[in-house]
Amino acid sequence: MKKVIVVGGGASGLMASIAAARRGAKVILTEKNRQAGKKLLVTGNGRCNFTNRNQQLSCYRSGHPRRVQEVLEAFSMEETVAFFEELGIFVKDRAGYLYPASGQASSVADVLRLEVRRLSPLIKEAYNTEVLAVERKGGLFQVKTEGWTYEGDAVILACGSEAAPKTGSTGDGYRFAKSLGHQVILPLPALTGLYARENDRGTLAGVRMDAKVTLLVDGQTCAKEEGEVQFASYGLSGIPIFQVSRYVSRALERGSACKVILDVCPGYTADAIEEKLLKREAYTKDRKGTDILLGMFPEKLSQVLMERAGISLKKHRREWKENDCRRLAEQMKGLSFQIFGCRGYEQAQVCTGGVPLSELKGVSMESAIVPGLYLAGELLDVDGACGGYNLQWAWSSGYLAGVHAAECMSEEYL
């Protein structure tokens, strides 16, 4: 019976353990937390958006997109849904975003834990166990912990990234992969908020507004998103901001300049906005300050838009200059923020970077450098958009790693 050691009890590690045990392998699942699946509990704002029916390759970012597609096809979204339905999850579909019907992330974590226990004694759970080193000696792997050394025929590294370290993801897997000969593309925070330089960001704190988001890197359009932007004391947040943050991380790391442009009136052209502002003059001429834009925006946003357009808040509407409406319309279509940083690993949901997929043997998830070593999940150079994509990558890569670790004996061992 093949002995597989899984390092990390997150989404990909749990899936890998189950897949390997179902193929008849004896599995040791090590996890530094007191139980597996801790990070799962905070996904989807505690509701666990565990996958998405819209599986477009553009929703995944990697240096090797074809490899990503091959992995996702080898264990698909449909197979993932069937797997969780088999474990008892009723699926709730919200415009393609799939959640457990319970509305609780704990349901997903719990069914995985219960399946691990059902597969006992094939799976041995070693919780509160921090792995210190992973070595390969004499055709076997040695996984060293503070109190014990586990030996196995294969090792699956499913340790996660450096994102959300409070859940146990502290980047240990990068160290293990490097020690075994792998490269690691510098991990940087992704799916996180952005720090802005503008002094009026504090005025906007707490405002939420639907907007089109355009990211400029060195003056060139790099990415576009749309949705609810959340203004914070440090800068910008919200899903569309999270979506572009991985590009900001990479751009700033190489010394490029980043700017975010917000269109807070996405349903109108600048000409249409100007026309509406001119028509409002009849009943707003005796108003001043943000009262002039009452009903269009939250007061804080109205204040910033007017100040950036150079319109005094002390002026009545009838005192406006001829081109004030045009300047204000242009601000509504192009509210800009100079970005100087991304929020750190503590606030990031995932990382961009990791072990490149070119160092793996196709969809087996086996290392092309070290036979019998498998890698899965966030440890690899794949990061998905918000919406269940990172979890789908965890399920697909974890499942395939588990299956191949259990079934495929490298020629070196035969």
Side-chain angles (χ1 to χ4, degrees):
M1 180 181 290
K2 194 168 182 185
K3 192 172 183 180
V4 177
I5 304 172
V6 178
V7 183
S12 60
L14 283 166
M15 179 63 91
S17 299
I18 292 168
R22 286 184 176 185
R23 295 305 186 283
K26 189 173 182 180
V27 178
I28 298 173
L29 171 59
T30 67
E31 167 57 47
K32 67 172 63 174
N33 290 316
R34 65 181 181 85
Q35 66 177 355
K38 185 173 181 179
K39 191 172 181 179
L40 273 171
L41 301 178
V42 298
T43 59
N45 290 322
R47 294 178 297 158
C48 194
N49 175 197
F50 70 93
T51 189
N52 199 302
R53 292 204 183 278
N54 177 28
Q55 286 295 314
Q56 293 186 14
L57 188 56
S58 60
C59 296
Y60 297 88
R61 294 79 180 253
S62 172
H64 298 85
R66 285 182 64 94
R67 288 285 184 93
V68 175
Q69 185 173 12
E70 290 168 356
V71 169
L72 295 172
E73 289 174 351
F75 186 74
S76 66
M77 176 274 296
E78 291 82 5
E79 290 171 295
T80 298
V81 172
F83 171 85
F84 280 103
E85 288 180 333
E86 176 190 332
L87 296 187
I89 293 293
F90 275 45
V91 179
K92 189 169 187 177
D93 189 331
R94 295 184 175 178
Y97 295 72
L98 303 187
Y99 298 82
S102 66
Q104 297 179 316
S106 58
S107 298
V108 175
D110 285 344
V111 296
L112 289 168
R113 292 174 188 146
L114 289 170
E115 180 64 4
V116 165
R117 291 170 195 166
R118 186 186 74 82
L119 291 167
S120 176
L122 282 175
I123 300 179
K124 176 183 177 180
E125 300 167 82
Y127 299 147
N128 288 317
T129 300
E130 183 173 0
V131 172
L132 304 178
V134 179
E135 300 174 355
R136 184 168 175 266
K137 293 183 177 180
L140 289 176
F141 286 92
Q142 292 186 343
V143 175
K144 298 182 177 181
T145 70
E146 187 172 341
W148 193 260
T149 295
Y150 297 98
E151 288 193 341
D153 303 298
V155 165
I156 300 174
L157 294 181
C159 319
S161 64
E162 292 187 72
K166 289 183 179 179
T167 65
S169 296
T170 53
D172 297 337
Y174 301 133
R175 176 166 54 88
F176 302 148
K178 282 182 177 180
S179 72
L180 292 163
H182 279 280
Q183 300 180 61
V184 175
I185 297 169
L186 179 65
L188 296 170
L191 297 188
T192 190
L194 302 178
Y195 290 109
R197 294 193 185 282
E198 283 69 18
N199 292 330
D200 55 17
R201 66 185 187 278
T203 302
L204 291 167
V207 172
R208 295 170 178 249
M209 197 73 195
D210 286 340
K212 284 185 177 179
V213 176
T214 301
L215 170 64
L216 301 181
V217 174
D218 291 334
Q220 300 298 313
T221 299
C222 176
K224 291 186 176 184
E225 294 289 341
E226 188 169 359
E228 186 182 72
V229 172
Q230 300 173 23
F231 296 90
S233 58
Y234 59 81
L236 304 173
S237 185
I239 288 178
I241 298 299
F242 285 7
Q243 305 286 44
V244 304
S245 62
R246 64 99 59 200
Y247 301 108
V248 174
S249 280
R250 287 287 161 209
L252 292 177
E253 191 271 332
R254 63 177 182 263
S256 295
C258 294
K259 180 188 287 188
V260 166
I261 308 293
L262 301 181
D263 176 355
V264 295
C265 270
Y268 299 91
T269 64
D271 289 342
I273 294 170
E274 182 181 12
E275 183 180 351
K276 283 184 174 294
L277 291 173
L278 291 170
K279 287 181 177 179
R280 286 167 65 95
E281 183 178 7
Y283 55 88
T284 60
K285 62 182 179 181
D286 294 324
R287 298 181 189 176
K288 64 179 179 179
T290 57
D291 285 347
I292 297 170
L293 299 182
L294 192 63
M296 293 183 70
F297 304 102
E299 184 177 3
K300 291 179 179 180
L301 181 54
S302 294
Q303 177 182 334
V304 169
L305 289 168
M306 292 179 68
E307 288 175 343
R308 290 204 187 184
I311 301 172
S312 172
L313 296 175
K314 297 179 181 180
K315 282 186 177 182
H316 288 85
R317 174 66 181 86
R318 61 176 179 272
E319 300 176 278
W320 282 20
K321 297 177 182 178
E322 182 178 352
N323 62 344
D324 281 349
C325 286
R326 185 64 191 182
R327 293 206 310 274
L328 186 54
E330 289 171 351
Q331 283 299 319
M332 294 176 189
K333 298 297 291 182
L335 187 64
S336 67
F337 294 87
Q338 295 289 337
I339 304 301
F340 69 90
C342 291
R343 302 199 81 193
Y345 297 111
E346 293 79 8
Q347 293 80 28
Q349 294 181 20
V350 295
C351 285
T352 169
V355 177
L357 297 184
S358 59
E359 296 187 356
L360 301 185
K361 293 180 180 178
V363 301
S364 71
M365 312 310 294
E366 185 179 15
S367 166
I369 298 170
V370 183
L373 176 67
Y374 298 79
L375 300 93
E378 289 184 41
L379 178 59
L380 295 162
D381 176 33
V382 181
D383 59 284
C386 291
Y389 298 103
N390 288 291
L391 277 178
Q392 182 59 58
W393 174 252
W395 310 134
S396 295
S397 60
Y399 178 87
L400 294 170
V403 166
H404 289 279
E407 294 183 345
C408 301
M409 183 70 76
S410 294
E411 290 182 4
E412 184 170 333
Y413 297 145
L414 296 177

